Amino acid sequence: MTDLVLALDVGGTKVAGGLVDRGGAVRRSVRVATPLGSAERTWDAVASVVEQVVRGEDVAAVGIASAGPVDAGAGTVSPINVPGWRGFPLRERVSELLPGVPVEVAGDGPCMALGEHWLGAGRDSRFLLGLVVSTGVGGGLVLGGRPFGGRTGNAGHIGHVVVEPDGDPCPCGGRGCAETVAGGPRMVAWARRQGWQAPDGADAALLAAAAGVGEEIPKAAFERAGRAVGLAIAATAAVVDLDLAVVGGGVAQAGGLLFDPIRRTVADHCGLSYLDGLRVEPARLGGQAGLVGAARLVLG
Ligand SMILES: [Zn+2]
């Protein structure tokens, strides 16, 4: 019986796969850009990654991290940024490629949290919120040392905690969600509205570089994003009693520009005694967290 499992991380930007051993080492990994368009074009990329990674080798199980929303029970996924997939039967389709091998699907946020808990910044934590601050803001929970997905597997989707009740519309149908303030493209759009002069195609990395050399509007954009993320963390911590928030994703690469206002906001809003020990730390596994967490899902 093999110890290796196949881990997949499927999102609107990339499809990644790897063979992962019991220690969490990723042995053979493949990553391709996600073809959007028809459901089957996107699926073909997933099938090709599975084939390139497995190459006929035995795998004990398959863990899949998918952009959400997901339905972990049904094994279907409806990623907002993969418009062709609505209720797509990802677990069933992967099972058809590898008959007899158990397959589990979870959200990419929950898998990131699980990966960081297993081998990253959350190793000493039992009650952990993992956040990915990137194009959007996602996340997941590990509670009592176990992944907590909630009813459908989407618990911890912190980007939709409301931080500005009269704020900008969000694709979820609400307004003023943390993602509308702290998602990278939203930060850039806000900075432009305040008068930031930037080339076409400017992204959160360019915004961070400008903030890093002291430009006031970009600095304010990070201050605002950090506050939004900090408020969402504080709200979640008060509800589920956390000891750690681990923050990763492209926007978090800005370091102190984002983490300073997050920590300040958390300190300002977490006055209850049970939140005294709450820490906010940068993620350590980078882009591998989803794959590692997906593997952990099925390694148990
Ligand atoms: Zn929302």
Side-chain angles (χ1 to χ4, degrees), residues 92-122:
E92 189 184 318
R93 298 294 294 269
V94 171
S95 289
E96 286 167 4
L97 297 178
L98 300 165
V101 178
V103 181
E104 275 197 52
V105 174
D108 52 4
C111 285
M112 175 269 186
L114 192 54
E116 289 289 340
H117 171 65
W118 185 23
L119 297 171

PDB file of all heavy atoms in Angstrom, residues 92-122:
ATOM      1  N   GLU A  92     -16.527  13.518  -8.496  1.00  0.00           N
ATOM      2  CA  GLU A  92     -16.925  12.396  -9.359  1.00  0.00           C
ATOM      3  C   GLU A  92     -16.012  12.292 -10.588  1.00  0.00           C
ATOM      4  O   GLU A  92     -15.587  11.197 -10.973  1.00  0.00           O
ATOM      5  CB  GLU A  92     -18.371  12.636  -9.785  1.00  0.00           C
ATOM      6  CG  GLU A  92     -19.025  11.500 -10.501  1.00  0.00           C
ATOM      7  CD  GLU A  92     -20.435  11.935 -10.951  1.00  0.00           C
ATOM      8  OE1 GLU A  92     -21.139  12.601 -10.160  1.00  0.00           O
ATOM      9  OE2 GLU A  92     -20.794  11.630 -12.102  1.00  0.00           O
ATOM     10  N   ARG A  93     -15.684  13.437 -11.193  1.00  0.00           N
ATOM     11  CA  ARG A  93     -14.853  13.411 -12.395  1.00  0.00           C
ATOM     12  C   ARG A  93     -13.443  12.911 -12.089  1.00  0.00           C
ATOM     13  O   ARG A  93     -12.868  12.156 -12.864  1.00  0.00           O
ATOM     14  CB  ARG A  93     -14.816  14.805 -13.047  1.00  0.00           C
ATOM     15  CG  ARG A  93     -16.183  15.310 -13.516  1.00  0.00           C
ATOM     16  CD  ARG A  93     -16.773  14.485 -14.654  1.00  0.00           C
ATOM     17  NE  ARG A  93     -16.027  14.581 -15.887  1.00  0.00           N
ATOM     18  CZ  ARG A  93     -16.246  15.476 -16.850  1.00  0.00           C
ATOM     19  NH1 ARG A  93     -17.210  16.381 -16.709  1.00  0.00           N
ATOM     20  NH2 ARG A  93     -15.539  15.471 -17.949  1.00  0.00           N
ATOM     21  N   VAL A  94     -12.886  13.340 -10.954  1.00  0.00           N
ATOM     22  CA  VAL A  94     -11.552  12.855 -10.588  1.00  0.00           C
ATOM     23  C   VAL A  94     -11.618  11.367 -10.258  1.00  0.00           C
ATOM     24  O   VAL A  94     -10.713  10.597 -10.620  1.00  0.00           O
ATOM     25  CB  VAL A  94     -10.966  13.689  -9.414  1.00  0.00           C
ATOM     26  CG1 VAL A  94      -9.686  13.053  -8.868  1.00  0.00           C
ATOM     27  CG2 VAL A  94     -10.690  15.128  -9.867  1.00  0.00           C
ATOM     28  N   SER A  95     -12.698  10.941  -9.606  1.00  0.00           N
ATOM     29  CA  SER A  95     -12.871   9.507  -9.299  1.00  0.00           C
ATOM     30  C   SER A  95     -12.888   8.657 -10.561  1.00  0.00           C
ATOM     31  O   SER A  95     -12.386   7.521 -10.565  1.00  0.00           O
ATOM     32  CB  SER A  95     -14.183   9.270  -8.552  1.00  0.00           C
ATOM     33  OG  SER A  95     -14.100   9.761  -7.255  1.00  0.00           O
ATOM     34  N   GLU A  96     -13.456   9.201 -11.627  1.00  0.00           N
ATOM     35  CA  GLU A  96     -13.506   8.437 -12.890  1.00  0.00           C
ATOM     36  C   GLU A  96     -12.107   8.213 -13.459  1.00  0.00           C
ATOM     37  O   GLU A  96     -11.849   7.224 -14.138  1.00  0.00           O
ATOM     38  CB  GLU A  96     -14.386   9.174 -13.914  1.00  0.00           C
ATOM     39  CG  GLU A  96     -15.874   9.070 -13.598  1.00  0.00           C
ATOM     40  CD  GLU A  96     -16.716  10.053 -14.423  1.00  0.00           C
ATOM     41  OE1 GLU A  96     -16.152  10.762 -15.281  1.00  0.00           O
ATOM     42  OE2 GLU A  96     -17.936  10.102 -14.177  1.00  0.00           O
ATOM     43  N   LEU A  97     -11.182   9.163 -13.168  1.00  0.00           N
ATOM     44  CA  LEU A  97      -9.796   8.996 -13.649  1.00  0.00           C
ATOM     45  C   LEU A  97      -9.030   7.975 -12.828  1.00  0.00           C
ATOM     46  O   LEU A  97      -8.103   7.335 -13.326  1.00  0.00           O
ATOM     47  CB  LEU A  97      -9.042  10.336 -13.569  1.00  0.00           C
ATOM     48  CG  LEU A  97      -9.544  11.493 -14.417  1.00  0.00           C
ATOM     49  CD1 LEU A  97      -8.700  12.733 -14.144  1.00  0.00           C
ATOM     50  CD2 LEU A  97      -9.496  11.148 -15.898  1.00  0.00           C
ATOM     51  N   LEU A  98      -9.401   7.843 -11.543  1.00  0.00           N
ATOM     52  CA  LEU A  98      -8.669   6.977 -10.619  1.00  0.00           C
ATOM     53  C   LEU A  98      -9.663   6.084  -9.891  1.00  0.00           C
ATOM     54  O   LEU A  98      -9.946   6.269  -8.703  1.00  0.00           O
ATOM     55  CB  LEU A  98      -7.877   7.829  -9.615  1.00  0.00           C
ATOM     56  CG  LEU A  98      -6.823   8.771 -10.211  1.00  0.00           C
ATOM     57  CD1 LEU A  98      -6.367   9.812  -9.196  1.00  0.00           C
ATOM     58  CD2 LEU A  98      -5.619   7.970 -10.718  1.00  0.00           C
ATOM     59  N   PRO A  99     -10.215   5.098 -10.603  1.00  0.00           N
ATOM     60  CA  PRO A  99     -11.287   4.282 -10.008  1.00  0.00           C
ATOM     61  C   PRO A  99     -10.834   3.587  -8.717  1.00  0.00           C
ATOM     62  O   PRO A  99      -9.717   3.089  -8.643  1.00  0.00           O
ATOM     63  CB  PRO A  99     -11.584   3.240 -11.107  1.00  0.00           C
ATOM     64  CG  PRO A  99     -11.032   3.823 -12.360  1.00  0.00           C
ATOM     65  CD  PRO A  99      -9.880   4.693 -11.958  1.00  0.00           C
ATOM     66  N   GLY A 100     -11.703   3.621  -7.722  1.00  0.00           N
ATOM     67  CA  GLY A 100     -11.422   2.916  -6.473  1.00  0.00           C
ATOM     68  C   GLY A 100     -10.614   3.721  -5.472  1.00  0.00           C
ATOM     69  O   GLY A 100     -10.420   3.282  -4.337  1.00  0.00           O
ATOM     70  N   VAL A 101     -10.120   4.902  -5.882  1.00  0.00           N
ATOM     71  CA  VAL A 101      -9.321   5.726  -4.962  1.00  0.00           C
ATOM     72  C   VAL A 101     -10.245   6.756  -4.302  1.00  0.00           C
ATOM     73  O   VAL A 101     -10.975   7.462  -4.997  1.00  0.00           O
ATOM     74  CB  VAL A 101      -8.196   6.464  -5.734  1.00  0.00           C
ATOM     75  CG1 VAL A 101      -7.403   7.366  -4.787  1.00  0.00           C
ATOM     76  CG2 VAL A 101      -7.280   5.465  -6.429  1.00  0.00           C
ATOM     77  N   PRO A 102     -10.252   6.833  -2.956  1.00  0.00           N
ATOM     78  CA  PRO A 102     -11.117   7.822  -2.300  1.00  0.00           C
ATOM     79  C   PRO A 102     -10.699   9.257  -2.638  1.00  0.00           C
ATOM     80  O   PRO A 102      -9.510   9.547  -2.710  1.00  0.00           O
ATOM     81  CB  PRO A 102     -10.943   7.545  -0.805  1.00  0.00           C
ATOM     82  CG  PRO A 102      -9.817   6.596  -0.678  1.00  0.00           C
ATOM     83  CD  PRO A 102      -9.491   6.013  -2.013  1.00  0.00           C
ATOM     84  N   VAL A 103     -11.692  10.108  -2.860  1.00  0.00           N
ATOM     85  CA  VAL A 103     -11.428  11.505  -3.236  1.00  0.00           C
ATOM     86  C   VAL A 103     -12.225  12.419  -2.310  1.00  0.00           C
ATOM     87  O   VAL A 103     -13.413  12.164  -2.063  1.00  0.00           O
ATOM     88  CB  VAL A 103     -11.878  11.781  -4.694  1.00  0.00           C
ATOM     89  CG1 VAL A 103     -11.571  13.226  -5.091  1.00  0.00           C
ATOM     90  CG2 VAL A 103     -11.224  10.806  -5.678  1.00  0.00           C
ATOM     91  N   GLU A 104     -11.562  13.457  -1.793  1.00  0.00           N
ATOM     92  CA  GLU A 104     -12.265  14.458  -0.976  1.00  0.00           C
ATOM     93  C   GLU A 104     -12.040  15.845  -1.539  1.00  0.00           C
ATOM     94  O   GLU A 104     -10.952  16.152  -2.027  1.00  0.00           O
ATOM     95  CB  GLU A 104     -11.745  14.439   0.468  1.00  0.00           C
ATOM     96  CG  GLU A 104     -12.433  13.400   1.323  1.00  0.00           C
ATOM     97  CD  GLU A 104     -12.219  13.665   2.801  1.00  0.00           C
ATOM     98  OE1 GLU A 104     -12.475  14.792   3.258  1.00  0.00           O
ATOM     99  OE2 GLU A 104     -11.791  12.720   3.477  1.00  0.00           O
ATOM    100  N   VAL A 105     -13.078  16.680  -1.441  1.00  0.00           N
ATOM    101  CA  VAL A 105     -13.014  18.064  -1.917  1.00  0.00           C
ATOM    102  C   VAL A 105     -13.239  18.999  -0.730  1.00  0.00           C
ATOM    103  O   VAL A 105     -14.107  18.752   0.105  1.00  0.00           O
ATOM    104  CB  VAL A 105     -14.106  18.326  -2.973  1.00  0.00           C
ATOM    105  CG1 VAL A 105     -14.140  19.799  -3.367  1.00  0.00           C
ATOM    106  CG2 VAL A 105     -13.887  17.462  -4.206  1.00  0.00           C
ATOM    107  N   ALA A 106     -12.431  20.060  -0.677  1.00  0.00           N
ATOM    108  CA  ALA A 106     -12.647  21.110   0.332  1.00  0.00           C
ATOM    109  C   ALA A 106     -12.339  22.451  -0.316  1.00  0.00           C
ATOM    110  O   ALA A 106     -11.761  22.512  -1.405  1.00  0.00           O
ATOM    111  CB  ALA A 106     -11.753  20.879   1.546  1.00  0.00           C
ATOM    112  N   GLY A 107     -12.691  23.519   0.356  1.00  0.00           N
ATOM    113  CA  GLY A 107     -12.388  24.850  -0.152  1.00  0.00           C
ATOM    114  C   GLY A 107     -10.895  25.133  -0.070  1.00  0.00           C
ATOM    115  O   GLY A 107     -10.184  24.550   0.753  1.00  0.00           O
ATOM    116  N   ASP A 108     -10.404  26.045  -0.923  1.00  0.00           N
ATOM    117  CA  ASP A 108      -8.966  26.341  -0.875  1.00  0.00           C
ATOM    118  C   ASP A 108      -8.594  27.105   0.399  1.00  0.00           C
ATOM    119  O   ASP A 108      -7.481  26.932   0.915  1.00  0.00           O
ATOM    120  CB  ASP A 108      -8.481  27.048  -2.146  1.00  0.00           C
ATOM    121  CG  ASP A 108      -9.292  28.272  -2.524  1.00  0.00           C
ATOM    122  OD1 ASP A 108     -10.217  28.657  -1.780  1.00  0.00           O
ATOM    123  OD2 ASP A 108      -8.987  28.858  -3.582  1.00  0.00           O
ATOM    124  N   GLY A 109      -9.528  27.912   0.919  1.00  0.00           N
ATOM    125  CA  GLY A 109      -9.252  28.609   2.180  1.00  0.00           C
ATOM    126  C   GLY A 109      -9.083  27.623   3.334  1.00  0.00           C
ATOM    127  O   GLY A 109      -8.072  27.663   4.052  1.00  0.00           O
ATOM    128  N   PRO A 110     -10.047  26.728   3.531  1.00  0.00           N
ATOM    129  CA  PRO A 110      -9.880  25.709   4.571  1.00  0.00           C
ATOM    130  C   PRO A 110      -8.602  24.875   4.383  1.00  0.00           C
ATOM    131  O   PRO A 110      -7.934  24.519   5.353  1.00  0.00           O
ATOM    132  CB  PRO A 110     -11.147  24.848   4.423  1.00  0.00           C
ATOM    133  CG  PRO A 110     -12.180  25.835   3.951  1.00  0.00           C
ATOM    134  CD  PRO A 110     -11.439  26.772   3.026  1.00  0.00           C
ATOM    135  N   CYS A 111      -8.237  24.576   3.126  1.00  0.00           N
ATOM    136  CA  CYS A 111      -7.013  23.794   2.903  1.00  0.00           C
ATOM    137  C   CYS A 111      -5.768  24.603   3.256  1.00  0.00           C
ATOM    138  O   CYS A 111      -4.813  24.070   3.822  1.00  0.00           O
ATOM    139  CB  CYS A 111      -6.931  23.304   1.452  1.00  0.00           C
ATOM    140  SG  CYS A 111      -8.064  21.931   1.139  1.00  0.00           S
ATOM    141  N   MET A 112      -5.776  25.900   2.940  1.00  0.00           N
ATOM    142  CA  MET A 112      -4.641  26.747   3.333  1.00  0.00           C
ATOM    143  C   MET A 112      -4.481  26.732   4.852  1.00  0.00           C
ATOM    144  O   MET A 112      -3.389  26.578   5.388  1.00  0.00           O
ATOM    145  CB  MET A 112      -4.859  28.173   2.808  1.00  0.00           C
ATOM    146  CG  MET A 112      -3.813  29.184   3.233  1.00  0.00           C
ATOM    147  SD  MET A 112      -4.239  30.035   4.788  1.00  0.00           S
ATOM    148  CE  MET A 112      -2.920  31.242   4.882  1.00  0.00           C
ATOM    149  N   ALA A 113      -5.614  26.890   5.565  1.00  0.00           N
ATOM    150  CA  ALA A 113      -5.570  26.898   7.033  1.00  0.00           C
ATOM    151  C   ALA A 113      -5.030  25.565   7.553  1.00  0.00           C
ATOM    152  O   ALA A 113      -4.197  25.522   8.469  1.00  0.00           O
ATOM    153  CB  ALA A 113      -6.964  27.167   7.595  1.00  0.00           C
ATOM    154  N   LEU A 114      -5.477  24.488   6.943  1.00  0.00           N
ATOM    155  CA  LEU A 114      -5.054  23.156   7.370  1.00  0.00           C
ATOM    156  C   LEU A 114      -3.562  22.935   7.088  1.00  0.00           C
ATOM    157  O   LEU A 114      -2.830  22.372   7.920  1.00  0.00           O
ATOM    158  CB  LEU A 114      -5.903  22.122   6.621  1.00  0.00           C
ATOM    159  CG  LEU A 114      -5.861  20.690   7.071  1.00  0.00           C
ATOM    160  CD1 LEU A 114      -6.170  20.559   8.561  1.00  0.00           C
ATOM    161  CD2 LEU A 114      -6.857  19.851   6.241  1.00  0.00           C
ATOM    162  N   GLY A 115      -3.098  23.385   5.929  1.00  0.00           N
ATOM    163  CA  GLY A 115      -1.679  23.266   5.591  1.00  0.00           C
ATOM    164  C   GLY A 115      -0.802  24.060   6.543  1.00  0.00           C
ATOM    165  O   GLY A 115       0.209  23.564   7.051  1.00  0.00           O
ATOM    166  N   GLU A 116      -1.198  25.294   6.834  1.00  0.00           N
ATOM    167  CA  GLU A 116      -0.407  26.125   7.756  1.00  0.00           C
ATOM    168  C   GLU A 116      -0.440  25.535   9.175  1.00  0.00           C
ATOM    169  O   GLU A 116       0.526  25.633   9.914  1.00  0.00           O
ATOM    170  CB  GLU A 116      -0.935  27.568   7.766  1.00  0.00           C
ATOM    171  CG  GLU A 116      -0.630  28.337   6.483  1.00  0.00           C
ATOM    172  CD  GLU A 116       0.855  28.702   6.319  1.00  0.00           C
ATOM    173  OE1 GLU A 116       1.592  28.714   7.327  1.00  0.00           O
ATOM    174  OE2 GLU A 116       1.277  28.960   5.173  1.00  0.00           O
ATOM    175  N   HIS A 117      -1.564  24.924   9.527  1.00  0.00           N
ATOM    176  CA  HIS A 117      -1.665  24.294  10.844  1.00  0.00           C
ATOM    177  C   HIS A 117      -0.730  23.081  10.940  1.00  0.00           C
ATOM    178  O   HIS A 117      -0.066  22.855  11.946  1.00  0.00           O
ATOM    179  CB  HIS A 117      -3.098  23.848  11.100  1.00  0.00           C
ATOM    180  CG  HIS A 117      -3.257  23.000  12.320  1.00  0.00           C
ATOM    181  ND1 HIS A 117      -3.015  23.472  13.591  1.00  0.00           N
ATOM    182  CD2 HIS A 117      -3.601  21.711  12.468  1.00  0.00           C
ATOM    183  CE1 HIS A 117      -3.212  22.512  14.461  1.00  0.00           C
ATOM    184  NE2 HIS A 117      -3.570  21.423  13.819  1.00  0.00           N
ATOM    185  N   TRP A 118      -0.649  22.340   9.847  1.00  0.00           N
ATOM    186  CA  TRP A 118       0.143  21.111   9.858  1.00  0.00           C
ATOM    187  C   TRP A 118       1.649  21.421   9.825  1.00  0.00           C
ATOM    188  O   TRP A 118       2.404  20.920  10.663  1.00  0.00           O
ATOM    189  CB  TRP A 118      -0.253  20.267   8.646  1.00  0.00           C
ATOM    190  CG  TRP A 118       0.387  18.915   8.566  1.00  0.00           C
ATOM    191  CD1 TRP A 118       0.915  18.182   9.598  1.00  0.00           C
ATOM    192  CD2 TRP A 118       0.572  18.138   7.384  1.00  0.00           C
ATOM    193  NE1 TRP A 118       1.413  16.991   9.121  1.00  0.00           N
ATOM    194  CE2 TRP A 118       1.203  16.939   7.773  1.00  0.00           C
ATOM    195  CE3 TRP A 118       0.238  18.327   6.045  1.00  0.00           C
ATOM    196  CZ2 TRP A 118       1.538  15.940   6.850  1.00  0.00           C
ATOM    197  CZ3 TRP A 118       0.562  17.335   5.130  1.00  0.00           C
ATOM    198  CH2 TRP A 118       1.207  16.155   5.530  1.00  0.00           C
ATOM    199  N   LEU A 119       2.071  22.260   8.885  1.00  0.00           N
ATOM    200  CA  LEU A 119       3.505  22.411   8.648  1.00  0.00           C
ATOM    201  C   LEU A 119       3.984  23.856   8.580  1.00  0.00           C
ATOM    202  O   LEU A 119       5.151  24.116   8.305  1.00  0.00           O
ATOM    203  CB  LEU A 119       3.878  21.729   7.316  1.00  0.00           C
ATOM    204  CG  LEU A 119       3.656  20.225   7.253  1.00  0.00           C
ATOM    205  CD1 LEU A 119       3.848  19.713   5.832  1.00  0.00           C
ATOM    206  CD2 LEU A 119       4.632  19.509   8.188  1.00  0.00           C
ATOM    207  N   GLY A 120       3.105  24.812   8.798  1.00  0.00           N
ATOM    208  CA  GLY A 120       3.500  26.205   8.623  1.00  0.00           C
ATOM    209  C   GLY A 120       3.442  27.010   9.908  1.00  0.00           C
ATOM    210  O   GLY A 120       3.824  26.528  10.983  1.00  0.00           O
ATOM    211  N   ALA A 121       2.924  28.224   9.802  1.00  0.00           N
ATOM    212  CA  ALA A 121       2.950  29.167  10.926  1.00  0.00           C
ATOM    213  C   ALA A 121       2.021  28.751  12.069  1.00  0.00           C
ATOM    214  O   ALA A 121       2.120  29.285  13.168  1.00  0.00           O
ATOM    215  CB  ALA A 121       2.542  30.553  10.430  1.00  0.00           C
ATOM    216  N   GLY A 122       1.127  27.785  11.806  1.00  0.00           N
ATOM    217  CA  GLY A 122       0.131  27.427  12.815  1.00  0.00           C
ATOM    218  C   GLY A 122       0.427  26.144  13.568  1.00  0.00           C
ATOM    219  O   GLY A 122      -0.461  25.570  14.192  1.00  0.00           O
TER     220      GLY A 122
END
